[in-house]
Amino acid sequence: MVLDLPKCWSPFGTVQARIGELEQACTTWTSTLDAMDGVQSGRTRNVARDIRATVAQYRHIAGMSEIDLRAEEYLAASGT
């Protein structure tokens, strides 16, 4: 069985952020974006969009702004 790690990790980061575990969320999303490096698909683009949507309310926090930038760059590289 193949586990779709980016799809699986992204919602976990969202849950972590929503319960106030922002540092853990950053770590989770960093791992997600690392795993997506070099992979271009509809699912991974959706993951990047989901990360950006969640991070939007936390952009004023340094780690979150870096995650947002990485997700934005991922989407730009995929042409979306």
Side-chain angles (χ1 to χ4, degrees), residues 40-54:
Q40 296 294 328
S41 74
R43 283 186 186 177
T44 57
R45 284 188 294 277
N46 286 339
V47 167
R49 285 186 198 106
D50 290 346
I51 289 171
R52 292 205 72 212
T54 303

Side-chain angles (χ1 to χ4, degrees), residues 30-76:
T30 296
S31 296
T32 300
L33 291 164
D34 288 347
M36 290 169 32
D37 189 37
V39 177
Q40 296 294 328
S41 74
R43 283 186 186 177
T44 57
R45 284 188 294 277
N46 286 339
V47 167
R49 285 186 198 106
D50 290 346
I51 289 171
R52 292 205 72 212
T54 303
V55 166
Q57 62 188 313
Y58 304 106
R59 278 193 203 126
H60 63 282
I61 298 169
M64 292 294 188
S65 62
E66 292 168 16
I67 296 297
D68 184 48
L69 179 61
R70 282 194 65 194
E72 179 181 32
E73 289 171 347
Y74 177 86
L75 290 169

Side-chain angles (χ1 to χ4, degrees), residues 3-15:
L3 182 60
D4 186 2
L5 293 178
K7 185 176 180 182
C8 183
W9 288 345
S10 179
F12 189 52
T14 300
V15 169

